[in-house]
C-alpha cells in the first residue's frame, strides 16, 4: 500500500470504516468530502507534514467550530489508519486545530406538552380513520420507543412483534437492535396493521415505497399546531430526546438508555445527564454511602 496514491488511500480508509466499523452512508460521504477537500488544499495527504496541518487550520479559520472539529476528526482517523498500515512513519494530525465546539443541549418537550400532543392524536384516531391512526402509531413509536425518523419510516412489516413486545430496528451503520414496545403502543400498532393497505412490505407504506422523513416532519408539525403547541418545538428527534430525558428522570440507567437509543458510544448518551442534572445531584445525596453522615460523624 506504500506506493498508493492519496485518492486510493482515501478509498481504502472509507472501505475500512464501512466494513469494520459499520459507518453509515452519510458518515462515509461526509468523510469523503472532508478528506478530498483537505487534499485539494495540500496536494497530497500522505506526504503532509506538521506545517501543512497548520496551513489547514488557517484555511478553515472562518468555518464554524463544529465544522472544523468534524474535518479534524476525519483527518485524525485517516492518519491513524495510514500509521497502522505502515504508509507513514509519523502522524502529523497532532498539529491540527482543536476548536472548542460545544454540543448544544437537545430540545425536549415537557410532560404536559407530550400529554397534549397525545390527547390530540388519540382524539383524532378514535374513528380508526387511516391517516390519524397512522400518525398516532408513529407518535407512539417515536416517544414510546425512541426511534429515529429514518428508523421509523423505513420499518418493514416483518419488524412488528408477534409474541415478544419488541421491534427489530435497523439503525445507523446497519446495526440491528431490539427496542421495547409498550402495552399501549402495541394496541395502537395492532389497530394500524389491520387498517393499513396490504401489498407493501413496509409498516408505513406510501406509493411504491414507504412514508418519507419529510412527510413525517410535516405530519408532526400539523398535529402540534392542532394541539396548541408551537410547530417549531416539534420534530421526530425532539420526541426521541423527550423519550430519553423522561426515562432518565424516571431512574433509567445510562447504559440501558444507550442500548435503547442505539448509541455506539456512551459519550453520546451522556448529554442527557446535563438535561437531568438536578435528579442526578439528588441521587448522589440520597444513595451515596456518606449521605446520612455529617462532618461531625
Amino acid at each position: 500500500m506504500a506506493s498508493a496514491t492519496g485518492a486510493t488511500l482515501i478509498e481504502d480508509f472509507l472501505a475500512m470504516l464501512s466494513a469494520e466499523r459499520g459507518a453509515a452512508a452519510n458518515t462515509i460521504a461526509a468523510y469523503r468530502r472532508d478528506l478530498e477537500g483537505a487534499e485539494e488544499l495540500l496536494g497530497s495527504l500522505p506526504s503532509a507534514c506538521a506545517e501543512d496541518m497548520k496551513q489547514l487550520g488557517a484555511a478553515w479559520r472562518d468555518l464554524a467550530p463544529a465544522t472544523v472539529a468534524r474535518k479534524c476528526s476525519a483527518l485524525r482517523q485517516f492518519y491513524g489508519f495510514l500509521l497502522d498500515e505502515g504508509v507513514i512513519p509519523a502522524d502529523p494530525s497532532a498539529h491540527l486545530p482543536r476548536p472548542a465546539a460545544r454540543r448544544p443541549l437537545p430540545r425536549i418537550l415537557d410532560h404536559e406538552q407530550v400529554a397534549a400532543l397525545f390527547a390530540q392524536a388519540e382524539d383524532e384516531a378514535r374513528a380508526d380513520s387511516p391517516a390519524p391512526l397512522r400518525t398516532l402509531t408513529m407518535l407512539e413509536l417515536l416517544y414510546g420507543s425512541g426511534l429515529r425518523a429514518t428508523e421509523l419510516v423505513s420499518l418493514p412489516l416483518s419488524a412488528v412483534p408477534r409474541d415478544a413486545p419488541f421491534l427489530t430496528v435497523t439503525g445507523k451503520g446497519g446495526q440491528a437492535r431490539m427496542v421495547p414496545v409498550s402495552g399501549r403502543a402495541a394496541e395502537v400498532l395492532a389497530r394500524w396493521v389491520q387498517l393499513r393497505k396490504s401489498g407493501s412490505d413496509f409498516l408505513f407504506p406510501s406509493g411504491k415505497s414507504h412514508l418519507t422523513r419529510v412527510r413525517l416532519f410535516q405530519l408532526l408539525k400539523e398535529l402540534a399546531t392542532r394541539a396548541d403547541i408551537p410547530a417549531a418545538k416539534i420534530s421526530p428527534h425532539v420526541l426521541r430526546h423527550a423519550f430519553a430525558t423522561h426515562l432518565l428522570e424516571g431512574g433509567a440507567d445510562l447504559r440501558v438508555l444507550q442500548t435503547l437509543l442505539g448509541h455506539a458510544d456512551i459519550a453520546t448518551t451522556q448529554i442527557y445527564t446535563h438535561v437531568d442534572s438536578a435528579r442526578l445531584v439528588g441521587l448522589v445525596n440520597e444513595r451515596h454511602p456518606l449521605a446520612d453522615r455529617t462532618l461531625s460523624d
Side-chain angles (χ1 to χ4, degrees):
M1 187 182 287
S3 61
T5 65
T8 301
L9 291 170
I10 289 174
E11 292 301 326
D12 291 340
F13 167 68
L14 296 176
M16 180 276 294
L17 285 183
S18 178
E20 297 182 14
R21 302 185 191 176
N26 287 344
T27 301
I28 297 294
Y31 277 27
R32 183 188 302 280
R33 289 193 300 270
D34 290 337
L35 293 173
E36 290 177 350
E39 187 153 75
E40 286 180 10
L41 289 171
L42 299 182
S44 172
L45 290 182
S47 60
C49 62
E51 287 303 314
D52 293 321
M53 298 297 103
K54 295 175 183 177
Q55 179 184 334
L56 283 177
W60 295 338
R61 186 182 300 113
D62 296 329
L63 297 179
T67 301
V68 176
R70 190 200 67 230
K71 290 178 178 294
C72 290
S73 175
L75 280 166
R76 289 191 182 97
Q77 293 183 62
F78 177 63
Y79 281 119
F81 168 75
L82 296 187
L83 196 63
D84 290 342
E85 295 293 327
V87 177
I88 57 175
D91 182 356
S93 66
H95 299 275
L96 285 166
R98 294 184 177 273
R102 184 179 179 182
R103 187 173 183 178
L105 295 179
R107 291 183 294 129
I108 62 168
L109 299 172
D110 59 34
H111 292 275
E112 291 74 18
Q113 290 171 321
V114 169
L117 201 62
F118 271 92
Q120 182 67 34
E122 289 166 359
D123 185 60
E124 295 177 2
R126 291 191 192 282
D128 275 352
S129 177
L133 185 57
R134 180 183 63 181
T135 298
L136 176 59
T137 306
M138 294 190 296
L139 185 63
E140 286 280 3
L141 295 178
L142 287 170
Y143 176 70
S145 300
L147 300 189
R148 299 178 177 95
T150 300
E151 293 172 347
L152 176 71
V153 297
S154 62
L155 274 174
L157 188 60
S158 59
V160 177
R162 297 185 181 276
D163 300 316
F166 291 94
L167 279 175
T168 302
V169 176
T170 302
K172 288 186 174 180
Q175 299 298 310
R177 73 182 190 281
M178 302 287 284
V179 297
V181 178
S182 67
R184 54 174 286 154
E187 291 180 13
V188 175
L189 190 56
R191 287 168 57 196
W192 168 245
V193 168
Q194 292 299 318
L195 198 62
R196 63 182 283 282
K197 290 182 179 180
S198 59
S200 173
D201 293 332
F202 294 105
L203 181 59
F204 301 107
S206 179
K208 296 182 179 180
S209 184
H210 56 71
L211 193 78
T212 66
R213 294 174 73 256
V214 172
R215 185 58 183 146
L216 173 61
F217 274 73
Q218 292 171 343
L219 291 171
L220 290 176
K221 291 184 181 297
E222 291 166 3
L223 176 66
T225 299
R226 295 193 297 272
D228 293 325
I229 299 172
K233 292 180 67 71
I234 295 289
S235 75
H237 219 60
V238 167
L239 288 166
R240 176 173 157 88
H241 288 322
F243 161 82
T245 303
H246 296 166
L247 271 182
L248 196 60
E249 288 175 356
D253 178 81
L254 205 60
R255 285 290 182 185
V256 172
L257 198 59
Q258 178 190 6
T259 301
L260 293 176
L261 293 172
H263 288 162
D265 188 347
I266 197 169
T268 308
T269 318
Q270 285 173 334
I271 190 169
Y272 294 104
T273 63
H274 299 292
V275 179
D276 193 28
S277 56
R279 188 191 70 82
L280 293 177
V281 171
L283 187 66
V284 170
N285 289 334
E286 292 171 12
R287 304 291 179 85
H288 195 278
L290 298 180
D292 295 330
R293 296 183 61 184
T294 64
L295 288 176
S296 59
D297 294 338

